[in-house]
Structures are given as C-alpha cells and as structure tokens.
mmCIF file of all heavy atoms in Angstrom:
data_model
loop_
_atom_site.group_PDB
_atom_site.id
_atom_site.type_symbol
_atom_site.label_atom_id
_atom_site.label_comp_id
_atom_site.label_asym_id
_atom_site.label_seq_id
_atom_site.Cartn_x
_atom_site.Cartn_y
_atom_site.Cartn_z
ATOM 1 N N MET L 1 0.843 -1.185 0.021
ATOM 2 C CA MET L 1 -0.010 -0.014 0.013
ATOM 3 C C MET L 1 0.894 1.247 0.030
ATOM 4 O O MET L 1 1.788 1.357 0.777
ATOM 5 C CB MET L 1 -0.873 -0.016 1.249
ATOM 6 C CG MET L 1 -1.778 1.162 1.377
ATOM 7 S SD MET L 1 -2.849 0.918 2.768
ATOM 8 C CE MET L 1 -3.118 2.611 3.106
ATOM 9 N N ARG L 2 0.581 2.152 -0.874
ATOM 10 C CA ARG L 2 1.355 3.403 -0.967
ATOM 11 C C ARG L 2 0.743 4.477 -0.049
ATOM 12 O O ARG L 2 -0.491 4.645 -0.109
ATOM 13 C CB ARG L 2 1.449 3.866 -2.429
ATOM 14 C CG ARG L 2 2.188 2.855 -3.323
ATOM 15 C CD ARG L 2 2.279 3.334 -4.721
ATOM 16 N NE ARG L 2 3.130 4.521 -4.873
ATOM 17 C CZ ARG L 2 4.420 4.535 -4.936
ATOM 18 N NH1 ARG L 2 5.073 3.413 -4.791
ATOM 19 N NH2 ARG L 2 5.088 5.677 -5.058
ATOM 20 N N THR L 3 1.577 5.176 0.671
ATOM 21 C CA THR L 3 1.057 6.187 1.560
ATOM 22 C C THR L 3 1.734 7.524 1.201
ATOM 23 O O THR L 3 2.812 7.542 0.609
ATOM 24 C CB THR L 3 1.402 5.856 3.046
ATOM 25 O OG1 THR L 3 2.759 5.661 3.175
ATOM 26 C CG2 THR L 3 0.653 4.638 3.495
ATOM 27 N N ARG L 4 1.119 8.611 1.609
ATOM 28 C CA ARG L 4 1.581 9.920 1.302
ATOM 29 C C ARG L 4 2.475 10.359 2.451
ATOM 30 O O ARG L 4 2.152 10.198 3.576
ATOM 31 C CB ARG L 4 0.377 10.842 1.186
ATOM 32 C CG ARG L 4 0.713 12.166 0.674
ATOM 33 C CD ARG L 4 -0.617 12.908 0.413
ATOM 34 N NE ARG L 4 -0.393 14.322 0.478
ATOM 35 C CZ ARG L 4 -1.198 15.202 0.987
ATOM 36 N NH1 ARG L 4 -2.377 14.830 1.394
ATOM 37 N NH2 ARG L 4 -0.878 16.481 1.023
ATOM 38 N N ILE L 5 3.699 10.860 2.114
ATOM 39 C CA ILE L 5 4.625 11.310 3.122
ATOM 40 C C ILE L 5 5.018 12.751 2.779
ATOM 41 O O ILE L 5 4.852 13.215 1.602
ATOM 42 C CB ILE L 5 5.857 10.428 3.197
ATOM 43 C CG1 ILE L 5 6.655 10.428 1.872
ATOM 44 C CG2 ILE L 5 5.526 9.034 3.660
ATOM 45 C CD1 ILE L 5 8.039 9.868 1.987
ATOM 46 N N ILE L 6 5.593 13.443 3.754
ATOM 47 C CA ILE L 6 5.988 14.830 3.577
ATOM 48 C C ILE L 6 7.474 14.923 3.785
ATOM 49 O O ILE L 6 8.026 14.320 4.745
ATOM 50 C CB ILE L 6 5.267 15.767 4.614
ATOM 51 C CG1 ILE L 6 3.777 15.701 4.369
ATOM 52 C CG2 ILE L 6 5.797 17.176 4.475
ATOM 53 C CD1 ILE L 6 2.950 16.357 5.455
ATOM 54 N N LEU L 7 8.188 15.585 2.896
ATOM 55 C CA LEU L 7 9.603 15.781 2.962
ATOM 56 C C LEU L 7 9.947 17.204 3.507
ATOM 57 O O LEU L 7 9.381 18.148 3.032
ATOM 58 C CB LEU L 7 10.285 15.572 1.655
ATOM 59 C CG LEU L 7 10.162 14.176 1.004
ATOM 60 C CD1 LEU L 7 10.828 14.156 -0.370
ATOM 61 C CD2 LEU L 7 10.769 13.109 1.868
ATOM 62 N N ALA L 8 10.830 17.264 4.515
ATOM 63 C CA ALA L 8 11.209 18.553 5.103
ATOM 64 C C ALA L 8 12.701 18.801 4.832
ATOM 65 O O ALA L 8 13.502 17.870 4.896
ATOM 66 C CB ALA L 8 10.922 18.536 6.582
ATOM 67 N N CYS L 9 13.062 20.047 4.598
ATOM 68 C CA CYS L 9 14.432 20.433 4.403
ATOM 69 C C CYS L 9 15.183 20.289 5.721
ATOM 70 O O CYS L 9 14.677 20.653 6.808
ATOM 71 C CB CYS L 9 14.449 21.919 3.936
ATOM 72 S SG CYS L 9 16.151 22.551 3.706
ATOM 73 N N THR L 10 16.425 19.761 5.656
ATOM 74 C CA THR L 10 17.222 19.563 6.866
ATOM 75 C C THR L 10 17.867 20.853 7.353
ATOM 76 O O THR L 10 18.212 20.950 8.501
ATOM 77 C CB THR L 10 18.307 18.497 6.623
ATOM 78 O OG1 THR L 10 19.062 18.912 5.523
ATOM 79 C CG2 THR L 10 17.696 17.167 6.429
ATOM 80 N N GLU L 11 17.972 21.867 6.497
ATOM 81 C CA GLU L 11 18.630 23.111 6.880
ATOM 82 C C GLU L 11 17.673 24.127 7.469
ATOM 83 O O GLU L 11 17.876 24.660 8.551
ATOM 84 C CB GLU L 11 19.384 23.712 5.706
ATOM 85 C CG GLU L 11 20.572 22.924 5.281
ATOM 86 C CD GLU L 11 21.347 23.555 4.195
ATOM 87 O OE1 GLU L 11 21.278 24.782 4.010
ATOM 88 O OE2 GLU L 11 22.111 22.846 3.523
ATOM 89 N N CYS L 12 16.532 24.380 6.785
ATOM 90 C CA CYS L 12 15.581 25.411 7.259
ATOM 91 C C CYS L 12 14.352 24.807 7.934
ATOM 92 O O CYS L 12 13.522 25.517 8.471
ATOM 93 C CB CYS L 12 15.192 26.342 6.130
ATOM 94 S SG CYS L 12 14.195 25.589 4.880
ATOM 95 N N LYS L 13 14.213 23.460 7.880
ATOM 96 C CA LYS L 13 13.113 22.745 8.521
ATOM 97 C C LYS L 13 11.746 22.998 7.866
ATOM 98 O O LYS L 13 10.729 22.650 8.496
ATOM 99 C CB LYS L 13 13.015 22.962 10.019
ATOM 100 C CG LYS L 13 14.324 22.822 10.727
ATOM 101 C CD LYS L 13 14.794 21.407 10.729
ATOM 102 C CE LYS L 13 15.987 21.266 11.641
ATOM 103 N NZ LYS L 13 17.056 20.461 11.126
ATOM 104 N N GLN L 14 11.668 23.558 6.713
ATOM 105 C CA GLN L 14 10.410 23.823 6.031
ATOM 106 C C GLN L 14 9.929 22.530 5.374
ATOM 107 O O GLN L 14 10.705 21.749 4.848
ATOM 108 C CB GLN L 14 10.541 24.864 4.929
ATOM 109 C CG GLN L 14 10.856 26.245 5.469
ATOM 110 C CD GLN L 14 9.647 26.913 6.054
ATOM 111 O OE1 GLN L 14 8.497 26.632 5.700
ATOM 112 N NE2 GLN L 14 9.857 27.796 7.013
ATOM 113 N N ARG L 15 8.605 22.305 5.402
ATOM 114 C CA ARG L 15 8.061 21.133 4.728
ATOM 115 C C ARG L 15 7.665 21.495 3.331
ATOM 116 O O ARG L 15 6.744 22.292 3.096
ATOM 117 C CB ARG L 15 6.834 20.653 5.552
ATOM 118 C CG ARG L 15 7.184 20.193 6.916
ATOM 119 C CD ARG L 15 5.971 20.040 7.783
ATOM 120 N NE ARG L 15 6.437 19.683 9.127
ATOM 121 C CZ ARG L 15 6.040 18.583 9.762
ATOM 122 N NH1 ARG L 15 5.184 17.738 9.196
ATOM 123 N NH2 ARG L 15 6.460 18.316 10.944
ATOM 124 N N ASN L 16 8.394 20.935 2.352
ATOM 125 C CA ASN L 16 8.328 21.382 0.973
ATOM 126 C C ASN L 16 7.562 20.421 0.038
ATOM 127 O O ASN L 16 6.930 20.861 -0.886
ATOM 128 C CB ASN L 16 9.716 21.603 0.428
ATOM 129 C CG ASN L 16 10.439 22.698 1.140
ATOM 130 O OD1 ASN L 16 9.829 23.593 1.639
ATOM 131 N ND2 ASN L 16 11.754 22.571 1.212
ATOM 132 N N TYR L 17 7.700 19.114 0.199
ATOM 133 C CA TYR L 17 7.234 18.186 -0.807
ATOM 134 C C TYR L 17 6.305 17.137 -0.215
ATOM 135 O O TYR L 17 6.492 16.698 0.901
ATOM 136 C CB TYR L 17 8.425 17.443 -1.467
ATOM 137 C CG TYR L 17 9.283 18.293 -2.277
ATOM 138 C CD1 TYR L 17 10.443 18.892 -1.773
ATOM 139 C CD2 TYR L 17 8.943 18.566 -3.625
ATOM 140 C CE1 TYR L 17 11.277 19.661 -2.559
ATOM 141 C CE2 TYR L 17 9.756 19.380 -4.395
ATOM 142 C CZ TYR L 17 10.938 19.887 -3.877
ATOM 143 O OH TYR L 17 11.681 20.675 -4.651
ATOM 144 N N ASP L 18 5.254 16.779 -0.980
ATOM 145 C CA ASP L 18 4.345 15.664 -0.714
ATOM 146 C C ASP L 18 4.655 14.605 -1.760
ATOM 147 O O ASP L 18 4.531 14.918 -2.953
ATOM 148 C CB ASP L 18 2.880 16.050 -0.791
ATOM 149 C CG ASP L 18 2.480 16.964 0.363
ATOM 150 O OD1 ASP L 18 3.112 16.984 1.390
ATOM 151 O OD2 ASP L 18 1.447 17.646 0.156
ATOM 152 N N VAL L 19 5.031 13.420 -1.332
ATOM 153 C CA VAL L 19 5.307 12.312 -2.256
ATOM 154 C C VAL L 19 4.637 11.051 -1.769
ATOM 155 O O VAL L 19 4.222 10.949 -0.646
ATOM 156 C CB VAL L 19 6.880 12.101 -2.417
ATOM 157 C CG1 VAL L 19 7.525 13.310 -3.071
ATOM 158 C CG2 VAL L 19 7.481 11.799 -1.097
ATOM 159 N N MET L 20 4.570 10.085 -2.652
ATOM 160 C CA MET L 20 3.990 8.787 -2.349
ATOM 161 C C MET L 20 5.130 7.768 -2.111
ATOM 162 O O MET L 20 6.143 7.809 -2.805
ATOM 163 C CB MET L 20 3.081 8.301 -3.485
ATOM 164 C CG MET L 20 1.895 9.211 -3.734
ATOM 165 S SD MET L 20 0.737 9.282 -2.399
ATOM 166 C CE MET L 20 -0.172 7.776 -2.661
ATOM 167 N N LYS L 21 4.926 6.862 -1.178
ATOM 168 C CA LYS L 21 5.960 5.860 -0.847
ATOM 169 C C LYS L 21 5.300 4.526 -0.461
ATOM 170 O O LYS L 21 4.220 4.538 0.187
ATOM 171 C CB LYS L 21 6.754 6.349 0.298
ATOM 172 C CG LYS L 21 7.849 5.420 0.767
ATOM 173 C CD LYS L 21 8.639 6.045 1.883
ATOM 174 C CE LYS L 21 8.693 5.090 3.070
ATOM 175 N NZ LYS L 21 9.563 5.550 4.139
ATOM 176 N N ASP L 22 5.902 3.467 -0.910
ATOM 177 C CA ASP L 22 5.417 2.117 -0.529
ATOM 178 C C ASP L 22 6.111 1.717 0.778
ATOM 179 O O ASP L 22 7.285 1.409 0.772
ATOM 180 C CB ASP L 22 5.750 1.112 -1.607
ATOM 181 C CG ASP L 22 5.223 -0.288 -1.331
ATOM 182 O OD1 ASP L 22 4.459 -0.399 -0.310
ATOM 183 O OD2 ASP L 22 5.510 -1.160 -2.146
ATOM 184 N N LYS L 23 5.384 1.771 1.855
ATOM 185 C CA LYS L 23 5.980 1.530 3.209
ATOM 186 C C LYS L 23 6.360 0.063 3.441
ATOM 187 O O LYS L 23 7.191 -0.287 4.250
ATOM 188 C CB LYS L 23 5.057 1.976 4.322
ATOM 189 C CG LYS L 23 4.929 3.455 4.378
ATOM 190 C CD LYS L 23 4.760 3.898 5.779
ATOM 191 C CE LYS L 23 4.784 5.406 5.837
ATOM 192 N NZ LYS L 23 5.164 5.941 7.099
ATOM 193 N N LYS L 24 5.687 -0.846 2.692
ATOM 194 C CA LYS L 24 6.005 -2.231 2.827
ATOM 195 C C LYS L 24 7.374 -2.590 2.231
ATOM 196 O O LYS L 24 8.145 -3.337 2.797
ATOM 197 C CB LYS L 24 4.904 -3.075 2.178
ATOM 198 C CG LYS L 24 4.699 -4.435 2.813
ATOM 199 C CD LYS L 24 3.527 -5.118 2.180
ATOM 200 C CE LYS L 24 2.424 -5.302 3.186
ATOM 201 N NZ LYS L 24 1.321 -6.119 2.715
ATOM 202 N N ALA L 25 7.632 -2.047 1.047
ATOM 203 C CA ALA L 25 8.907 -2.320 0.342
ATOM 204 C C ALA L 25 10.060 -1.503 0.971
ATOM 205 O O ALA L 25 11.214 -1.948 0.960
ATOM 206 C CB ALA L 25 8.776 -1.962 -1.117
ATOM 207 N N HIS L 26 9.787 -0.268 1.476
ATOM 208 C CA HIS L 26 10.831 0.618 2.022
ATOM 209 C C HIS L 26 10.337 1.140 3.388
ATOM 210 O O HIS L 26 9.891 2.300 3.476
ATOM 211 C CB HIS L 26 11.068 1.823 1.082
ATOM 212 C CG HIS L 26 11.454 1.323 -0.284
ATOM 213 N ND1 HIS L 26 12.682 0.836 -0.563
ATOM 214 C CD2 HIS L 26 10.750 1.306 -1.440
ATOM 215 C CE1 HIS L 26 12.749 0.520 -1.872
ATOM 216 N NE2 HIS L 26 11.579 0.795 -2.394
ATOM 217 N N PRO L 27 10.549 0.358 4.452
ATOM 218 C CA PRO L 27 10.047 0.832 5.798
ATOM 219 C C PRO L 27 10.906 1.942 6.420
ATOM 220 O O PRO L 27 10.429 2.655 7.266
ATOM 221 C CB PRO L 27 10.115 -0.471 6.641
ATOM 222 C CG PRO L 27 11.090 -1.283 5.972
ATOM 223 C CD PRO L 27 11.065 -0.965 4.500
ATOM 224 N N GLU L 28 12.163 2.108 5.951
ATOM 225 C CA GLU L 28 13.028 3.152 6.545
ATOM 226 C C GLU L 28 12.624 4.513 6.053
ATOM 227 O O GLU L 28 11.846 4.645 5.074
ATOM 228 C CB GLU L 28 14.491 2.848 6.201
ATOM 229 C CG GLU L 28 14.833 2.936 4.744
ATOM 230 C CD GLU L 28 14.487 1.718 3.912
ATOM 231 O OE1 GLU L 28 14.148 0.676 4.450
ATOM 232 O OE2 GLU L 28 14.515 1.858 2.677
ATOM 233 N N ARG L 29 13.114 5.516 6.727
ATOM 234 C CA ARG L 29 12.818 6.932 6.338
ATOM 235 C C ARG L 29 13.459 7.297 5.011
ATOM 236 O O ARG L 29 14.662 6.959 4.823
ATOM 237 C CB ARG L 29 13.281 7.869 7.399
ATOM 238 C CG ARG L 29 12.370 8.008 8.577
ATOM 239 C CD ARG L 29 12.761 9.250 9.306
ATOM 240 N NE ARG L 29 11.911 9.397 10.493
ATOM 241 C CZ ARG L 29 12.013 10.441 11.228
ATOM 242 N NH1 ARG L 29 12.881 11.380 10.997
ATOM 243 N NH2 ARG L 29 11.196 10.613 12.287
ATOM 244 N N MET L 30 12.780 8.020 4.203
ATOM 245 C CA MET L 30 13.310 8.445 2.898
ATOM 246 C C MET L 30 14.138 9.683 3.021
ATOM 247 O O MET L 30 13.798 10.599 3.758
ATOM 248 C CB MET L 30 12.095 8.684 1.995
ATOM 249 C CG MET L 30 12.464 8.927 0.594
ATOM 250 S SD MET L 30 10.918 8.992 -0.360
ATOM 251 C CE MET L 30 11.402 10.012 -1.676
ATOM 252 N N GLU L 31 15.293 9.730 2.294
ATOM 253 C CA GLU L 31 16.183 10.885 2.233
ATOM 254 C C GLU L 31 16.504 11.138 0.795
ATOM 255 O O GLU L 31 16.899 10.212 0.077
ATOM 256 C CB GLU L 31 17.443 10.688 3.036
ATOM 257 C CG GLU L 31 17.283 10.760 4.511
ATOM 258 C CD GLU L 31 18.635 10.611 5.189
ATOM 259 O OE1 GLU L 31 19.617 10.402 4.523
ATOM 260 O OE2 GLU L 31 18.667 10.771 6.419
ATOM 261 N N THR L 32 16.384 12.362 0.341
ATOM 262 C CA THR L 32 16.773 12.706 -1.065
ATOM 263 C C THR L 32 17.132 14.138 -1.177
ATOM 264 O O THR L 32 16.724 15.009 -0.344
ATOM 265 C CB THR L 32 15.588 12.390 -2.028
ATOM 266 O OG1 THR L 32 16.044 12.557 -3.365
ATOM 267 C CG2 THR L 32 14.391 13.196 -1.740
ATOM 268 N N LYS L 33 18.020 14.468 -2.135
ATOM 269 C CA LYS L 33 18.379 15.850 -2.373
ATOM 270 C C LYS L 33 17.371 16.483 -3.275
ATOM 271 O O LYS L 33 17.132 15.975 -4.392
ATOM 272 C CB LYS L 33 19.785 15.948 -2.965
ATOM 273 C CG LYS L 33 20.864 15.653 -1.953
ATOM 274 C CD LYS L 33 22.222 16.093 -2.471
ATOM 275 C CE LYS L 33 22.418 17.494 -2.021
ATOM 276 N NZ LYS L 33 23.781 17.947 -2.127
ATOM 277 N N LYS L 34 16.767 17.549 -2.787
ATOM 278 C CA LYS L 34 15.770 18.283 -3.621
ATOM 279 C C LYS L 34 15.973 19.777 -3.465
ATOM 280 O O LYS L 34 16.676 20.224 -2.563
ATOM 281 C CB LYS L 34 14.342 17.896 -3.181
ATOM 282 C CG LYS L 34 13.946 16.512 -3.604
ATOM 283 C CD LYS L 34 12.479 16.372 -3.353
ATOM 284 C CE LYS L 34 11.876 15.201 -4.075
ATOM 285 N NZ LYS L 34 11.713 15.456 -5.533
ATOM 286 N N TYR L 35 15.333 20.552 -4.335
ATOM 287 C CA TYR L 35 15.483 21.965 -4.314
ATOM 288 C C TYR L 35 14.558 22.532 -3.232
ATOM 289 O O TYR L 35 13.368 22.220 -3.156
ATOM 290 C CB TYR L 35 15.116 22.586 -5.673
ATOM 291 C CG TYR L 35 15.241 24.106 -5.717
ATOM 292 C CD1 TYR L 35 16.446 24.705 -5.789
ATOM 293 C CD2 TYR L 35 14.109 24.883 -5.615
ATOM 294 C CE1 TYR L 35 16.617 26.064 -5.793
ATOM 295 C CE2 TYR L 35 14.202 26.271 -5.641
ATOM 296 C CZ TYR L 35 15.477 26.856 -5.726
ATOM 297 O OH TYR L 35 15.612 28.219 -5.732
ATOM 298 N N CYS L 36 15.089 23.422 -2.393
ATOM 299 C CA CYS L 36 14.354 24.089 -1.374
ATOM 300 C C CYS L 36 14.172 25.536 -1.802
ATOM 301 O O CYS L 36 15.138 26.277 -1.987
ATOM 302 C CB CYS L 36 15.067 24.035 -0.018
ATOM 303 S SG CYS L 36 14.189 24.962 1.269
ATOM 304 N N ARG L 37 12.916 25.972 -1.989
ATOM 305 C CA ARG L 37 12.685 27.356 -2.464
ATOM 306 C C ARG L 37 12.883 28.409 -1.407
ATOM 307 O O ARG L 37 13.050 29.591 -1.716
ATOM 308 C CB ARG L 37 11.265 27.469 -3.044
ATOM 309 C CG ARG L 37 10.160 27.202 -2.076
ATOM 310 C CD ARG L 37 8.849 27.118 -2.781
ATOM 311 N NE ARG L 37 7.807 26.756 -1.840
ATOM 312 C CZ ARG L 37 6.747 27.503 -1.547
ATOM 313 N NH1 ARG L 37 6.571 28.655 -2.133
ATOM 314 N NH2 ARG L 37 5.879 27.086 -0.672
ATOM 315 N N PHE L 38 12.979 27.994 -0.140
ATOM 316 C CA PHE L 38 13.249 28.934 0.945
ATOM 317 C C PHE L 38 14.759 29.186 1.071
ATOM 318 O O PHE L 38 15.213 30.299 1.310
ATOM 319 C CB PHE L 38 12.666 28.400 2.268
ATOM 320 C CG PHE L 38 11.186 28.194 2.169
ATOM 321 C CD1 PHE L 38 10.680 26.888 2.026
ATOM 322 C CD2 PHE L 38 10.286 29.207 2.262
ATOM 323 C CE1 PHE L 38 9.303 26.671 1.899
ATOM 324 C CE2 PHE L 38 8.936 29.014 2.164
ATOM 325 C CZ PHE L 38 8.441 27.741 1.996
ATOM 326 N N CYS L 39 15.539 28.119 0.922
ATOM 327 C CA CYS L 39 17.026 28.233 0.968
ATOM 328 C C CYS L 39 17.578 28.663 -0.371
ATOM 329 O O CYS L 39 18.724 29.089 -0.487
ATOM 330 C CB CYS L 39 17.625 26.902 1.382
ATOM 331 S SG CYS L 39 17.213 26.277 3.013
ATOM 332 N N ARG L 40 16.812 28.424 -1.421
ATOM 333 C CA ARG L 40 17.188 28.694 -2.834
ATOM 334 C C ARG L 40 18.390 27.926 -3.272
ATOM 335 O O ARG L 40 19.279 28.415 -3.953
ATOM 336 C CB ARG L 40 17.469 30.200 -3.034
ATOM 337 C CG ARG L 40 16.195 31.049 -2.900
ATOM 338 C CD ARG L 40 16.466 32.460 -3.256
ATOM 339 N NE ARG L 40 15.243 33.220 -3.068
ATOM 340 C CZ ARG L 40 15.237 34.534 -2.870
ATOM 341 N NH1 ARG L 40 16.329 35.207 -2.891
ATOM 342 N NH2 ARG L 40 14.083 35.132 -2.711
ATOM 343 N N LYS L 41 18.446 26.652 -2.834
ATOM 344 C CA LYS L 41 19.486 25.720 -3.281
ATOM 345 C C LYS L 41 19.037 24.279 -3.051
ATOM 346 O O LYS L 41 18.034 24.033 -2.428
ATOM 347 C CB LYS L 41 20.806 25.999 -2.535
ATOM 348 C CG LYS L 41 20.726 25.864 -1.023
ATOM 349 C CD LYS L 41 22.014 26.260 -0.374
ATOM 350 C CE LYS L 41 21.851 26.243 1.154
ATOM 351 N NZ LYS L 41 23.118 26.596 1.789
ATOM 352 N N HIS L 42 19.806 23.340 -3.613
ATOM 353 C CA HIS L 42 19.518 21.947 -3.367
ATOM 354 C C HIS L 42 20.038 21.491 -2.002
ATOM 355 O O HIS L 42 21.183 21.738 -1.702
ATOM 356 C CB HIS L 42 20.147 21.095 -4.498
ATOM 357 C CG HIS L 42 19.431 21.154 -5.761
ATOM 358 N ND1 HIS L 42 19.608 22.189 -6.675
ATOM 359 C CD2 HIS L 42 18.482 20.388 -6.289
ATOM 360 C CE1 HIS L 42 18.799 21.965 -7.724
ATOM 361 N NE2 HIS L 42 18.107 20.893 -7.511
ATOM 362 N N THR L 43 19.129 20.931 -1.205
ATOM 363 C CA THR L 43 19.527 20.485 0.108
ATOM 364 C C THR L 43 18.968 19.067 0.327
ATOM 365 O O THR L 43 18.108 18.566 -0.424
ATOM 366 C CB THR L 43 18.939 21.415 1.220
ATOM 367 O OG1 THR L 43 17.516 21.469 1.090
ATOM 368 C CG2 THR L 43 19.526 22.783 1.064
ATOM 369 N N LEU L 44 19.398 18.453 1.387
ATOM 370 C CA LEU L 44 18.899 17.129 1.775
ATOM 371 C C LEU L 44 17.500 17.307 2.421
ATOM 372 O O LEU L 44 17.357 18.125 3.287
ATOM 373 C CB LEU L 44 19.865 16.465 2.740
ATOM 374 C CG LEU L 44 19.557 15.024 3.127
ATOM 375 C CD1 LEU L 44 19.690 14.109 1.918
ATOM 376 C CD2 LEU L 44 20.417 14.586 4.254
ATOM 377 N N HIS L 45 16.565 16.483 1.926
ATOM 378 C CA HIS L 45 15.185 16.475 2.492
ATOM 379 C C HIS L 45 14.946 15.127 3.099
ATOM 380 O O HIS L 45 15.217 14.095 2.493
ATOM 381 C CB HIS L 45 14.161 16.763 1.382
ATOM 382 C CG HIS L 45 14.114 18.204 1.045
ATOM 383 N ND1 HIS L 45 15.142 18.906 0.338
ATOM 384 C CD2 HIS L 45 13.109 19.111 1.205
ATOM 385 C CE1 HIS L 45 14.757 20.132 0.188
ATOM 386 N NE2 HIS L 45 13.575 20.327 0.707
ATOM 387 N N ARG L 46 14.331 15.101 4.300
ATOM 388 C CA ARG L 46 14.026 13.845 4.996
ATOM 389 C C ARG L 46 12.491 13.736 5.224
ATOM 390 O O ARG L 46 11.791 14.715 5.309
ATOM 391 C CB ARG L 46 14.713 13.846 6.371
ATOM 392 C CG ARG L 46 16.151 13.616 6.285
ATOM 393 C CD ARG L 46 16.735 13.175 7.611
ATOM 394 N NE ARG L 46 18.116 12.958 7.458
ATOM 395 C CZ ARG L 46 19.047 13.703 8.090
ATOM 396 N NH1 ARG L 46 18.679 14.683 8.883
ATOM 397 N NH2 ARG L 46 20.305 13.464 7.898
ATOM 398 N N GLU L 47 12.117 12.493 5.308
ATOM 399 C CA GLU L 47 10.699 12.177 5.602
ATOM 400 C C GLU L 47 10.391 12.577 7.028
ATOM 401 O O GLU L 47 11.148 12.333 7.996
ATOM 402 C CB GLU L 47 10.479 10.699 5.448
ATOM 403 C CG GLU L 47 9.119 10.228 5.736
ATOM 404 C CD GLU L 47 8.952 8.698 5.650
ATOM 405 O OE1 GLU L 47 9.811 8.084 4.994
ATOM 406 O OE2 GLU L 47 7.970 8.227 6.155
ATOM 407 N N THR L 48 9.252 13.282 7.263
ATOM 408 C CA THR L 48 8.836 13.700 8.571
ATOM 409 C C THR L 48 7.895 12.657 9.123
ATOM 410 O O THR L 48 7.361 11.790 8.402
ATOM 411 C CB THR L 48 8.127 15.049 8.553
ATOM 412 O OG1 THR L 48 6.951 14.960 7.686
ATOM 413 C CG2 THR L 48 9.021 16.139 8.037
ATOM 414 N N ARG L 49 7.646 12.734 10.428
ATOM 415 C CA ARG L 49 6.764 11.760 11.116
ATOM 416 C C ARG L 49 5.322 12.276 11.068
ATOM 417 O O ARG L 49 5.036 13.406 10.971
ATOM 418 C CB ARG L 49 7.216 11.596 12.526
ATOM 419 C CG ARG L 49 8.542 10.899 12.603
ATOM 420 C CD ARG L 49 8.608 9.948 13.741
ATOM 421 N NE ARG L 49 9.916 9.347 13.655
ATOM 422 C CZ ARG L 49 10.075 8.059 13.784
ATOM 423 N NH1 ARG L 49 9.106 7.296 14.001
ATOM 424 N NH2 ARG L 49 11.268 7.516 13.687
#
C-alpha cells in the first residue's frame, strides 16, 4: 500500500514536498536531495513523522 509522506528540508526545517511511498517495500525513512525554495539551493530532504 502506498502512503503519502511529507519531505522537510534539513537546513531550514520547512516542509516542501508531498510524495507517495510504498511503506512495505521501504520501511526506513526516505532521504533525497531536492530543491528548497526557501534556501534557494539543493539540500537534503528527509521524511517527517
């Protein structure tokens, strides 16, 4: 089952992205480099709880 998760910037802590994830196949927290419009650069984004 795919669930909706929110990705937050690790530098400014803003919640920027809503993405879908299969929690059964990938139970760990998701981390990816994405563009943060508040920092105006590519930063690491982590899945929030």
Side-chain angles (χ1 to χ4, degrees):
M1 180 174 152
R2 295 182 66 81
T3 56
R4 190 171 155 216
I5 62 167
I6 298 169
L7 298 178
C9 178
T10 55
E11 290 186 20
C12 68
K13 310 295 188 221
Q14 292 286 332
R15 293 167 185 239
N16 298 329
Y17 292 96
D18 289 338
V19 293
M20 298 294 279
K21 177 179 129 173
D22 185 5
K23 289 215 176 203
K24 211 175 244 187
H26 304 285
E28 65 280 348
R29 278 195 182 186
M30 188 173 152
E31 286 185 354
T32 186
K33 284 195 92 166
K34 288 191 162 285
Y35 181 77
C36 177
R37 62 189 174 120
F38 302 101
C39 298
R40 294 186 180 158
K41 59 184 175 179
H42 283 85
T43 58
L44 186 67
H45 283 69
R46 286 199 180 112
E47 177 182 344
T48 59
R49 294 216 177 226

